[in-house]
Amino acid sequence: MLKEGSHRLKKQDSTFDILDDVIATLRFRGSIFFHSDLAAPWGISLPPLPTPRFHIALHGDFVIGTSEAQLPIMQMDIVMLPKGDMHWIADETSSELVPCQLAGDACELGNPLFQEGEITNRIMCGMVEYDEAISHPILDALPSIFHFTHIEVDNPIWTTVRQIDSEIQRTNSQRSVIIDRLTEVLFFQLLHRYIAENEHLHGFLAALRNPRLAKVLQLLHDNPEKPWTLATICNEAGMSRASLQRKFKAELDLSPMAYLGSWRLAKAYQLVKNSSLTLDNIADRIGYADARTLRAAFKRHYGFSPSALRKGDSEV
């Protein structure tokens, strides 16, 4: 559980430069899928999805339940499920649940459910999708659920929440470019806050907290095009081979060179998909000798060729 203060998040060392690079490469895309006033009793079940989801108590309190726990969510709290696990939200644990799709469709049709009696809650639910073909250790480093409590009105996070809420009410729609972009901003704010204030990080996020590993990650993210070897990484980072490999493996369950290879291919995926650069240009930007070498590595990693991705023929 994380308590929000009114202070602004500050970048510390290279942590958030690396994080922003990862976020940009994974190309998170936000949207609001449910926004409604509700009259108790009410309950909504949500199936598992491979995308982070969050719920915001704009007015009133509610309960969220997963296979592992139940948490009370107070007014102005935000709860996020980064791994998209199956869960439910309700005014009380005993309330009957309806599928999220049914509740969402009713809102879209202008005939929302749970409207009989006095309005007790207003909730807003969002999700953030990303290119699932790309894997990165940050996705494994996030917990199944985290809870932000007592967010203050003047906190930048709540400012973004109010902007989304106001835009939905102004347009009478949950879908617009502005709402989607603000939802992405909110996700990034929550992620930054979680990292800045949580003392028990693991995996990739713990590596960002380790000054020596963060230096290595910064080198690889800033200069993926360099002809890195384990020896040159160690020289730049001022670490022995044994120490670097041991620490890297302990936190990321990867060797430094395996991480670099995976990161280069993640960058390649986005450049192939979202730019008009030639494969030779892309290879030069991310540290491959030539297009042929990149093409072979890309096909081996993703199971389809760069040309198939660019033509939209890949099954992703």
Side-chain angles (χ1 to χ4, degrees):
M1 183 179 296
L2 303 177
K3 289 190 176 182
E4 286 283 346
S6 60
H7 62 281
R8 291 181 177 272
L9 184 66
K10 295 181 179 179
K11 288 195 174 185
Q12 299 174 353
D13 301 324
S14 60
T15 297
F16 294 109
D17 292 329
I18 300 169
L19 182 65
D20 290 347
D21 192 21
V22 171
I23 287 171
T25 300
L26 292 178
R27 295 181 69 87
F28 287 101
R29 301 176 298 280
S31 62
I32 299 297
F33 63 86
F34 187 76
H35 178 280
S36 183
D37 291 329
L38 303 169
W42 61 269
I44 300 170
S45 62
L46 296 97
L49 287 176
T51 56
R53 289 178 286 188
F54 60 83
H55 305 289
I56 305 173
L58 296 170
H59 174 73
D61 308 335
F62 65 87
V63 182
I64 184 169
T66 69
S67 61
E68 298 179 354
Q70 296 178 6
L71 288 175
I73 308 301
M74 303 294 107
Q75 182 168 302
M76 295 185 69
D77 285 3
I78 300 176
V79 60
M80 178 175 283
L81 297 94
K83 300 183 185 301
D85 294 340
M86 179 173 61
H87 61 285
W88 53 264
I89 54 175
D91 67 301
E92 298 284 353
T93 57
S94 59
S95 294
E96 184 177 350
L97 304 176
V98 303
C100 179
Q101 186 68 49
L102 179 62
D105 289 347
C107 281
E108 288 289 315
L109 294 172
N111 188 28
L113 304 180
F114 311 116
Q115 300 297 302
E116 295 183 8
E118 181 182 354
I119 296 299
T120 56
N121 298 83
R122 173 184 285 176
I123 64 170
M124 181 162 65
C125 309
M127 63 190 297
V128 185
E129 300 174 275
Y130 59 91
D131 286 319
E132 294 175 42
I134 301 177
S135 61
H136 189 274
I138 191 175
L139 302 172
D140 297 323
L142 294 171
S144 58
I145 187 169
F146 54 86
H147 180 196
F148 294 87
T149 65
H150 308 300
I151 304 174
E152 297 182 3
V153 173
D154 61 351
N155 187 284
I157 288 176
W158 201 253
T159 298
T160 305
V161 169
R162 290 202 314 269
Q163 289 175 322
I164 298 171
D165 184 41
S166 297
E167 187 66 16
I168 290 173
Q169 293 187 70
R170 185 185 70 82
T171 61
N172 197 30
S173 173
Q174 297 166 188
R175 299 177 180 177
S176 76
V177 173
I178 293 174
I179 292 169
D180 291 350
R181 296 296 84 78
L182 286 171
T183 303
E184 292 160 17
V185 169
L186 177 61
F187 172 72
F188 303 154
Q189 288 174 317
L190 294 173
L191 185 58
H192 278 214
R193 182 66 67 182
Y194 172 77
I195 294 169
E197 297 191 350
N198 196 306
E199 297 179 359
H200 305 290
L201 301 175
H202 71 279
F204 179 77
L205 300 181
L208 292 180
R209 281 270 182 87
N210 183 311
R212 306 195 81 176
L213 292 182
K215 182 176 181 179
V216 172
L217 289 168
Q218 187 74 63
L219 289 169
L220 303 183
H221 278 253
D222 284 351
N223 306 284
E225 77 287 353
K226 283 191 173 183
W228 293 109
T229 64
L230 186 59
T232 57
I233 294 173
C234 290
N235 287 338
E236 290 277 356
M239 299 176 68
S240 70
R241 291 192 183 199
S243 177
L244 174 58
Q245 295 205 92
R246 183 179 66 254
K247 292 178 184 294
F248 221 87
K249 178 71 174 177
E251 295 294 1
L252 286 89
D253 198 29
L254 287 170
S255 70
M257 296 307 294
Y259 178 86
L260 175 61
S262 178
W263 180 244
R264 282 171 166 167
L265 288 170
K267 300 293 284 186
Y269 182 98
Q270 291 299 356
L271 289 169
V272 169
K273 185 177 181 180
N274 299 296
S275 80
S276 58
L277 292 172
T278 67
L279 206 57
D280 277 312
N281 290 148
I282 294 172
D284 187 57
R285 285 192 177 202
I286 62 173
Y288 279 86
D290 51 43
R292 185 175 64 176
T293 307
L294 173 57
R295 187 180 296 109
F298 193 100
K299 179 70 180 290
R300 187 166 56 249
H301 185 79
Y302 291 111
F304 49 84
S305 67
S307 60
L309 175 62
R310 184 159 277 178
K311 293 175 183 177
D313 295 334
S314 60
E315 296 181 1
V316 296

